[in-house]
Amino acid sequence: MKKFFCLICVCYITFSVFSQNEDALFLSLDSCRNLAIKNNSKSKIADLQLDKIKFEKKAYFAEFFPKISANGMYLLTSATMNYNTRFDLSNTSLPGIIDNLPITIPPQYSGYLDMIYKSIGFDLDITIKPNNTFLVGAQFEQPIFWGGKIITANRMAKMTLQLAEINKNRSNSEIIAKTDEAYWLLVKATNLLEIAKNANEILLFLSKEVDNGIELGMISTNDKMKINSKISESELNIRQAENGIKLASMNLCHTIGINMLSEINPTDTLSENFPNSLSTQQPDVSIRPEFSLLNKQLEIQKQQINLVRADFLPQLGVTGGYNYINGLKLNDEKLFDSGSFMALFSLKIPLFNGLKGYNKINSAKVELKIAEMQTQDNINLLQLEMQKSYNSLDEAFFAIQVQKKETKQAEENFRICKDRHELGFDSMATLLEAQALLYQAQSKFIETKTNFKIAESEYLKVTNGF
């Protein structure tokens, strides 16, 4: 039973370790970038905004085509209109039109004609039935010249689409820079855990030597207390590094859009791809997507003047249609059963509007001047940002060179102190101090390399290097 129980425990532990390895994700920096662009909500929003502007551009283009509509009307009613009267001409005189006839009427017969005319009388009986009357038709409206408003609106829509595409590329660059920062912070936390464990192993090894020295009466218990204090600090450093890995991993998971409880093992290291020197040649600000954004916005502002001017220019259009009407009976005889075509040309020429158009156009021109000044100011800020980013990269690169020397010196110092301690020339306190300096130098070296990676990514973002 004991053997069987032990076998079950071994199988459970093996399965647990296997499951943990299966759940762990081994990701490189490039794979994290791709996941971030694919899953990041900011990137998805940029894609949706781009789709929205594409639809709006198509909607503006549709203004070139005629608007066609259909209409219909059907009247169902029981109402009728009756008109009944009698016309009697006995009290009226012979119309003067008789005198204009192309024949000559003898005077002796005019009396007879007048008597016949006055004896005329008749009844008029009219019944109108509008029931079952219907009208169907189709109309179209086609603008011919609308002051250039339709053409200008389409140009602005095209520029807005280009603006959205540039903004999407800039958004991707920001996502990549943010992903790089989260990735290198996870690598930093992993490296800090590694050196913290190495330092703890060294201290545990020294602690055994101290125990042996105490048993032989060669080392005082005071050294034991000192090394125990250093071991406690080392264990705290390990715990902090472990918590740092958890937090950095969750941050990276959130950035790349996966389950925040996923375990990520970075495959890239901080010791890779460090340049020997930095280029002193500063890139041109025109390569930045923000520069293109500012210029496109300025072009749209220029088109705004044409859009305002279009409201005060002549407008020409045509409206046409075909209607068919059936119904409306008069004394049971249908009056309408036919169709007709209609075309109407309309022309509107503004003559005087109290100088409203003049002032509106001048106002748009002033807005353009303001936009030009703001654009130049923003371009200067872009140049300043690029210089600031380069300075941060240069300082981070210099810090790596300095800290690399300090780390080598700390390693050499610890080696010498360890050898001298084994020979009895240095005390345990000196060796522990050398070990603390080594741990501090290694931690700072990891931090400087991380800062360089982050600064490099930020510099690539502001110089359109991705």
Side-chain angles (χ1 to χ4, degrees):
M1 289 296 294
K2 290 181 179 180
K3 291 180 180 180
F4 179 73
F5 178 75
C6 292
L7 180 62
I8 293 177
C9 291
V10 171
C11 292
Y12 176 77
I13 294 172
T14 303
F15 177 77
S16 299
V17 173
F18 178 77
S19 298
Q20 291 176 0
N21 292 334
E22 285 292 322
D23 294 336
L25 299 175
F26 293 87
L27 298 177
S28 64
L29 180 61
D30 290 337
S31 60
C32 287
R33 288 177 176 180
N34 294 332
L35 285 172
I37 294 176
K38 178 182 177 181
N39 300 328
N40 192 279
S41 59
K42 191 174 182 180
S43 178
K44 293 179 179 179
I45 291 174
D47 290 334
L48 292 175
Q49 289 177 341
L50 185 61
D51 292 339
K52 173 178 175 291
I53 294 175
K54 287 181 180 178
F55 288 124
E56 290 179 352
K57 180 179 179 295
K58 293 179 180 179
Y60 282 115
F61 185 74
E63 294 292 335
F64 286 110
F65 299 97
K67 297 180 178 65
I68 301 175
S69 60
N71 58 17
M73 181 188 70
Y74 177 77
L75 179 61
L76 179 64
T77 178
S78 60
T80 59
M81 292 177 286
N82 297 317
Y83 184 77
N84 192 341
T85 186
R86 176 173 179 77
F87 288 88
D88 191 353
L89 303 180
S90 60
N91 296 323
T92 61
S93 60
L94 186 67
I97 194 172
I98 299 298
D99 299 333
N100 297 324
L101 291 175
I103 58 175
T104 302
I105 301 175
Q108 62 271 23
Y109 296 117
S110 62
Y112 293 105
L113 289 175
D114 186 65
M115 183 178 62
I116 293 171
Y117 173 76
K118 292 182 179 181
S119 65
I120 294 175
F122 61 91
D123 294 327
L124 183 64
D125 189 5
I126 299 176
T127 301
I128 299 176
K129 298 179 180 180
N131 188 36
N132 293 328
T133 300
F134 65 90
L135 171 71
V136 293
Q139 288 79 33
F140 74 93
E141 299 176 11
Q142 175 64 59
I144 299 176
F145 178 74
W146 224 246
K149 178 178 288 187
I150 298 177
I151 296 176
T152 302
N154 276 271
R155 288 176 182 171
M156 294 177 68
K158 183 178 180 179
M159 293 177 184
T160 304
L161 178 60
Q162 295 172 350
L163 201 69
E165 292 173 347
I166 296 172
N167 188 60
K168 183 179 183 301
N169 294 331
R170 186 187 66 165
S171 176
N172 289 340
S173 297
E174 292 177 352
I175 292 171
I176 290 175
K178 186 177 180 181
T179 303
D180 288 1
E181 181 181 3
Y183 187 87
W184 292 122
L185 288 177
L186 177 58
V187 174
K188 171 187 173 182
T190 304
N191 281 267
L192 288 177
L193 177 61
E194 183 179 352
I195 64 170
K197 288 182 177 180
N198 292 336
N200 183 260
E201 291 177 0
I202 293 174
L203 292 173
L204 292 176
F205 176 77
L206 294 177
S207 178
K208 292 180 181 180
E209 287 190 351
V210 170
D211 291 338
N212 295 333
I214 291 175
E215 291 179 0
L216 297 175
M218 299 175 60
I219 299 177
S220 65
T221 56
N222 188 37
D223 290 336
K224 178 66 175 177
M225 294 180 62
K226 290 180 180 180
I227 199 169
N228 285 340
S229 176
K230 293 294 182 180
I231 291 174
S232 299
E233 291 180 6
S234 177
E235 292 174 349
L236 178 60
N237 292 333
I238 292 174
R239 178 57 62 86
Q240 289 175 344
E242 290 174 346
N243 290 335
I245 289 176
K246 293 178 182 178
L247 189 61
S249 179
M250 292 180 67
N251 181 43
L252 181 58
C253 290
H254 172 70
T255 304
I256 64 179
I258 63 175
N259 188 355
M260 294 186 63
L261 299 180
S262 301
E263 180 184 351
I264 298 180
N265 293 320
T267 58
D268 293 292
T269 63
L270 287 170
S271 59
E272 296 177 355
N273 300 325
F274 281 100
N276 296 324
S277 62
L278 292 180
S279 174
T280 57
Q281 183 178 1
Q282 292 295 311
D284 188 7
V285 70
S286 61
I287 66 175
R288 296 194 60 174
E290 291 86 350
F291 182 83
S292 300
L293 282 174
L294 292 173
N295 285 330
K296 286 297 178 184
Q297 290 173 351
L298 194 60
E299 291 179 12
I300 292 175
Q301 190 65 41
K302 291 178 181 178
Q303 293 297 325
Q304 188 68 30
I305 298 176
N306 296 330
L307 197 64
V308 174
R309 184 183 288 113
D311 290 331
F312 306 97
L313 293 177
Q315 298 178 357
L316 175 64
V318 59
T319 301
Y322 178 83
N323 294 314
Y324 172 77
I325 185 171
N326 185 292
L328 193 61
K329 294 181 179 180
L330 176 62
N331 293 343
D332 294 328
E333 293 291 333
K334 189 180 294 185
L335 291 180
F336 300 105
D337 186 10
S338 62
S340 62
F341 174 79
M342 177 272 297
L344 174 66
F345 290 88
S346 63
L347 175 63
K348 177 182 177 183
I349 303 177
L351 298 178
F352 181 74
N353 51 25
L355 298 180
K356 179 180 179 181
Y358 175 79
N359 293 322
K360 282 277 190 179
I361 294 173
N362 285 337
S363 175
K365 290 181 179 180
V366 172
E367 289 184 4
L368 176 61
K369 292 181 180 179
I370 295 174
E372 289 175 347
M373 296 176 64
Q374 291 176 341
T375 298
Q376 185 58 48
D377 185 58
N378 290 328
I379 289 175
N380 293 336
L381 292 176
L382 291 178
Q383 292 177 331
L384 182 63
E385 185 182 14
M386 290 175 65
Q387 184 62 47
K388 181 181 178 181
S389 178
Y390 177 81
N391 291 345
S392 298
L393 181 63
D394 180 67
E395 292 169 4
F397 179 77
F398 182 75
I400 285 180
Q401 310 306 317
V402 173
Q403 194 58 41
K404 185 177 181 180
K405 295 179 182 178
E406 291 185 3
T407 303
K408 288 183 177 180
Q409 292 175 357
E411 291 174 351
E412 182 65 17
N413 180 61
F414 177 73
R415 186 188 65 79
I416 294 174
C417 289
K418 184 178 180 182
D419 293 341
R420 289 176 61 83
H421 174 72
E422 291 176 354
L423 296 175
F425 294 115
D426 282 341
S427 64
M428 177 61 68
T430 303
L431 181 60
L432 292 177
E433 183 180 358
Q435 190 276 330
L437 292 174
L438 175 60
Y439 176 75
Q440 183 180 357
Q442 290 175 337
S443 300
K444 194 172 181 180
F445 191 36
I446 291 173
E447 185 175 355
T448 55
K449 290 192 290 185
T450 304
N451 291 340
F452 177 81
K453 289 290 187 180
I454 295 175
E456 183 182 36
S457 179
E458 183 67 21
Y459 181 71
L460 291 175
K461 184 192 78 171
V462 301
T463 58
N464 199 25
F466 291 126

